[in-house]
Amino acid sequence: MSFAGLRVISLESRRAADMHTLILREGGVPFVAPSVKEEAVDGTGTALRFIEQMEAGAYDMVICMTGVGLTVLRDTCATIMPIDRLTAALQRATIVSRGPKPVGPLRALGVQVDLIIPEPNTWREIVSAVAERQERRIAVQEYGRLNTPLHTALQELGATVEPVALYRWELPDDLQPLRQAVARIAGCGCDVVLFTSSVQLENLLTIARTMGLEPDVRKALRDQLVVGSIGPVMNDALTAEGIPPDVIPRHPKMWALVKAAAEEAAGVIAAKVA
């Protein structure tokens, strides 16, 4: 089963082109509105402090949350030191990868990955894995914002936790596509909306608020449109906003979300219209 011409909005940014292609492949009419910008923050100073602390033996575990963050770390370090210094520093600690995405950049650096967190790759799976180990001086290579629940849970295990934040999530420079997405959702000028990150929902509602359309967006998502979601964190974020997701794929992957939405959208629409 395919979308059969249904209009599908995605808020994907970094992989916008991939999402566009996936929706087309499943017979949908895509509108991809980038909703997030990854902005580097004080990269040189943060990277240098992290390397120096690693070299001093301050951490016995590094939890790598994203491939993007590792790439930023690598590129930042390359401007101020031989890249072998980064590799040597990371090799001093147990390396934990939150799912498969950080693995590629780590292996490209020649760094052994000691533990890969299984699906759905949330902070809960990280804490379960760490609880079985002895390392308790932990650095966390963050994604676009601090993961407070992860830090708190690790500290409850007796760990000291140091965030390493090299970029943050911001609104995109060009807000016009996101504004168009808000208008289409508010006016039900689409049939399906796909979310892959909780920050997408936050930014969508922020822009809707500035446009005076937040109540309409919430109502449309809740009562009229098909809402697809990846992973427990995204599911919880939608539910907390009173927008329980309609489509949740078995695997927290973008392709799985698009395929599941294509298969289930017609039934969801029929149920909401009834």
Side-chain angles (χ1 to χ4, degrees), residues 87-161:
T87 299
L90 290 171
Q91 287 174 332
R92 295 173 61 93
T94 296
I95 301 297
V96 177
S97 173
R98 185 185 69 92
K101 291 183 180 178
V103 172
L106 286 165
R107 289 181 175 165
L109 286 167
V111 175
Q112 175 180 320
V113 180
D114 299 291
L115 185 62
I116 300 176
I117 301 301
E119 290 184 357
N121 318 130
T122 73
W123 66 267
R124 295 178 178 87
E125 286 74 43
I126 296 173
V127 173
S128 294
V130 172
E132 299 175 357
R133 302 186 63 93
Q134 299 301 311
E135 298 92 339
R136 288 297 180 267
R137 298 177 303 158
I138 301 172
V140 180
Q141 172 266 305
E142 298 283 0
Y143 36 55
R145 66 162 59 95
L146 297 183
N147 191 320
T148 302
L150 172 62
H151 291 200
T152 300
L154 291 174
Q155 288 164 352
E156 289 174 352
L157 293 176
T160 59
V161 183

Side-chain angles (χ1 to χ4, degrees), residues 60-84:
D60 42 35
M61 175 180 284
V62 178
I63 299 174
C64 301
M65 301 293 282
T66 70
V68 172
L70 285 168
T71 300
V72 173
L73 176 63
R74 179 202 65 200
D75 292 348
T76 302
C77 287
T79 66
I80 57 176
M81 67 182 69
I83 205 64
D84 289 348

Side-chain angles (χ1 to χ4, degrees), residues 2 7 13-14 77 90 98-99 105 108 117 144 150 157 173 175 182 186 215 257 259 266 274:
S2 74
R7 300 159 297 175
S13 298
R14 183 163 31 90
C77 287
L90 290 171
R98 185 185 69 92
I117 301 301
L150 172 62
L157 293 176
D173 294 328
L175 292 175
V182 167
L257 174 63
K259 185 170 182 59

Side-chain angles (χ1 to χ4, degrees), residues 20-245:
H20 187 276
T21 298
L22 287 169
I23 294 169
L24 279 177
R25 189 175 298 160
E26 293 294 334
V29 179
F31 181 78
V32 182
S35 60
V36 183
K37 178 178 69 171
E38 292 162 345
E39 181 79 12
V41 290
D42 186 29
T44 301
T46 300
L48 183 57
R49 284 192 299 272
F50 173 60
I51 298 302
E52 290 176 342
Q53 289 170 329
M54 288 290 296
E55 291 171 337
Y59 311 119
D60 42 35
M61 175 180 284
V62 178
I63 299 174
C64 301
M65 301 293 282
T66 70
V68 172
L70 285 168
T71 300
V72 173
L73 176 63
R74 179 202 65 200
D75 292 348
T76 302
C77 287
T79 66
I80 57 176
M81 67 182 69
I83 205 64
D84 289 348
R85 184 177 172 187
L86 169 62
T87 299
L90 290 171
Q91 287 174 332
R92 295 173 61 93
T94 296
I95 301 297
V96 177
S97 173
R98 185 185 69 92
K101 291 183 180 178
V103 172
L106 286 165
R107 289 181 175 165
L109 286 167
V111 175
Q112 175 180 320
V113 180
D114 299 291
L115 185 62
I116 300 176
I117 301 301
E119 290 184 357
N121 318 130
T122 73
W123 66 267
R124 295 178 178 87
E125 286 74 43
I126 296 173
V127 173
S128 294
V130 172
E132 299 175 357
R133 302 186 63 93
Q134 299 301 311
E135 298 92 339
R136 288 297 180 267
R137 298 177 303 158
I138 301 172
V140 180
Q141 172 266 305
E142 298 283 0
Y143 36 55
R145 66 162 59 95
L146 297 183
N147 191 320
T148 302
L150 172 62
H151 291 200
T152 300
L154 291 174
Q155 288 164 352
E156 289 174 352
L157 293 176
T160 59
V161 183
E162 180 71 25
V164 182
L166 291 157
Y167 70 100
R168 63 173 176 257
W169 287 323
E170 302 281 2
L171 284 165
D173 294 328
D174 181 7
L175 292 175
Q176 190 57 28
L178 190 52
R179 291 191 181 107
Q180 291 179 27
V182 167
R184 292 187 187 200
I185 292 169
C188 292
C190 64
D191 305 291
V192 181
V193 184
L194 303 178
F195 293 95
T196 60
S197 169
S198 59
V199 71
Q200 295 174 357
L201 176 63
E202 292 175 18
N203 287 354
L204 177 76
L205 293 177
T206 294
I207 295 303
R209 198 170 304 124
T210 66
M211 296 172 67
L213 293 175
E214 184 180 3
D216 298 317
V217 166
R218 288 179 177 275
K219 178 176 175 53
L221 291 172
R222 183 179 64 246
D223 300 333
Q224 296 162 293
L225 306 178
V226 180
V227 176
S229 170
I230 281 181
V233 174
M234 186 70 247
N235 300 340
D236 290 348
L238 284 161
T239 301
E241 293 290 350
I243 309 166

